[in-house]
Amino acid sequence: MMRTWVQPILVGALVVVVSLTGSLPSSAVTEAEVDEACGEYREAKQQLDAAIEERNAAQAEYAALYADRELTSDRADRLIEQIAERQEELEELRDGVVEWAVEAYMAAGTEISGLVLQTRSLEELVTAQEFLKVITNEKVAAVDRLRVIVSETETMQEELDGQTTQLLVLEAEAHRLALVLAGATDDALNAARQLKGECQRLYQQRQAELARARALEAARRSGGSGGVPSSLTPGFVCPMNPGATSFINDWGFPRSGGRTHRGNDLFAPKRQPVVAVSAGSITLTRGGLGGIGIWLSADNGVDYYYAHLDGYARGIQNGVRVTRGQIIAYNGNTGNAYGGAPHVHFQLHPSGRTRAPVNPYPTLARVC
């Protein structure tokens, strides 16, 4: 890249007054908004912590409940096995008693026959003294065993019923706790995440705006000649191909009518493509000292002015949005540059076009 270094010539007591503002734009984030958003996040975080504590308690309760459920289930399974074992023996004994009752009925007199006919159940029959008198001692022992098994089975069945009921209660409670575990923190976590993001977004925006205000104030105090830091022009690219462009720090050079140069001139071959230094929207200008010109309103609030263009690129019109690096025009010498070397007069307005420009040279020198 060819670059000529020339010191500016100061004529008389030249004073450059740049009306920049160090105040934040009307859409800026206030400290109160940051405090409110971050306060809401802190409250949500407290609710999340409480929800996590509730979830942990539910998890501990669920673990204990699961252990109780397992023990209860094991007891119920054992009872079912024991009842099944006794039922097999019980059926054999009952078959024997029925057989003995039939034998006694057939062999005995009317007393035992009437007893067999009058009893309504096998259990009632085996408790009758008349029946016990007519059977052998061996059969009496079997009858006693039958009564014991019946009693034990009834007791086991009652216990099994109780265990089954307890199991249903435990399973219902476990289901409830599972729902608590699944959803206890979801809402609180989502709310906290959203509010944390909003708190961070507003805080970062606030810090960026304060930094911007400080940079603008520094530029104002320097009269605009010192330019602006790179933080005010993020992603800035050279307006033309750096290898074909030359420029100097000609900010403040004298111009006709007592004016001073309020930008930098970038010299390059005629019809050299001119690109958008940042993403933003386009406003076209024609006539006057600048000839064919463009205002580029960048998305970050900075405005850039290109003058003396030879023409616009295809599709460039008022209000169109462009991307960074997109060709928007071509180098020329229109306006009061007519007849001279083709160049782009480039201005940088960090507070927008209604405010005075600052020296773009430091910004251009970083990338061109």
Side-chain angles (χ1 to χ4, degrees):
M1 180 188 73
M2 179 181 70
R3 180 179 294 171
T4 305
W5 299 93
V6 179
Q7 294 294 327
I9 302 173
L10 299 179
V11 180
L14 176 63
V15 179
V16 180
V17 180
V18 183
S19 59
L20 293 171
T21 176
S23 61
L24 295 174
S26 58
S27 60
V29 175
T30 66
E31 195 72 28
E33 289 174 324
V34 175
D35 289 343
E36 181 180 359
C38 293
E40 290 177 352
Y41 164 64
R42 284 190 292 271
E43 291 178 3
K45 182 63 168 60
Q46 290 174 352
Q47 293 176 1
L48 174 60
D49 290 342
I52 291 174
E53 186 176 347
E54 178 185 356
R55 183 199 63 189
N56 291 342
Q59 186 170 356
E61 186 178 352
Y62 181 83
L65 196 65
Y66 187 82
D68 287 345
R69 180 184 177 280
E70 290 296 296
L71 292 175
T72 301
S73 179
D74 287 344
R75 284 194 295 268
D77 289 342
R78 286 196 301 270
L79 285 169
I80 291 172
E81 291 176 0
Q82 291 170 0
I83 290 173
E85 291 172 358
R86 281 162 173 74
Q87 284 292 347
E88 186 176 350
E89 184 181 357
L90 188 60
E91 289 302 321
E92 292 180 0
L93 290 172
R94 280 178 171 166
D95 289 344
V97 170
V98 170
E99 182 180 345
W100 304 334
V102 171
E103 291 177 358
Y105 176 79
M106 298 297 293
T110 57
E111 184 177 355
I112 188 62
S113 300
L115 176 63
V116 172
L117 294 174
Q118 292 171 8
T119 52
R120 290 167 294 181
S121 67
L122 189 62
E123 286 73 15
E124 185 178 345
L125 177 63
V126 297
T127 58
Q129 291 298 318
E130 295 84 349
F131 178 72
L132 296 176
K133 289 177 182 179
V134 299
I135 61 177
T136 66
N137 291 335
E138 180 183 353
K139 293 177 180 179
V140 169
V143 169
D144 290 340
R145 175 62 180 162
L146 183 146
R147 287 201 296 254
V148 169
I149 292 176
V150 168
S151 177
E152 288 180 350
T153 303
E154 290 175 350
T155 301
M156 288 180 183
Q157 188 62 52
E158 290 176 1
E159 185 178 355
L160 176 60
D161 292 342
Q163 294 295 321
T164 303
T165 301
Q166 178 65 12
L167 195 58
L168 292 174
V169 171
L170 291 174
E171 287 178 346
E173 181 64 10
H175 178 69
R176 184 190 69 79
L177 290 173
L179 293 178
V180 172
L181 288 173
T185 59
D186 286 355
D187 293 341
L189 181 60
N190 290 334
R193 282 176 175 171
Q194 291 176 1
L195 291 171
K196 181 180 181 181
E198 182 68 3
C199 167
Q200 291 177 334
R201 183 187 69 80
L202 292 177
Y203 175 79
Q204 291 169 356
Q205 183 177 340
R206 171 71 176 171
Q207 296 308 306
E209 289 168 351
L210 290 174
R212 177 182 176 84
R214 288 192 294 269
L216 291 174
E217 176 62 17
R220 183 191 67 79
R221 290 179 179 177
S222 71
S225 62
V228 293
S230 59
S231 61
L232 289 185
T233 57
F236 183 93
V237 297
C238 191
M240 289 189 289
N241 179 9
T245 305
S246 63
F247 61 97
I248 63 172
N249 188 5
D250 55 353
W251 169 269
F253 277 27
R255 291 293 186 265
S256 62
R259 296 177 299 110
T260 59
H261 198 213
R262 309 300 296 277
N264 288 155
D265 290 339
L266 289 82
F267 291 86
K270 193 170 186 178
R271 297 293 295 175
Q272 177 75 22
V274 177
V275 304
V277 297
S278 180
S281 58
I282 294 292
T283 301
L284 306 182
T285 64
R286 286 182 178 271
L289 300 178
I292 298 174
I294 283 179
W295 278 102
L296 170 61
S297 298
D299 294 338
N300 63 354
V302 178
D303 279 357
Y304 302 96
Y305 177 58
Y306 306 71
H308 309 313
L309 304 171
D310 189 62
Y312 305 121
R314 182 184 299 272
I316 298 301
Q317 56 189 351
N318 278 320
V320 71
R321 280 195 55 80
V322 294
T323 58
R324 181 180 61 181
Q326 179 179 340
I327 297 175
I328 57 175
Y330 301 96
N331 186 35
N333 57 357
T334 57
N336 68 349
Y338 181 75
H343 68 278
V344 172
H345 169 81
F346 186 77
Q347 290 181 196
L348 190 162
H349 296 250
S351 296
R353 72 184 68 178
T354 61
R355 302 287 183 176
V358 301
N359 185 3
Y361 182 78
T363 302
L364 292 167
R366 283 191 285 266
V367 297
C368 294

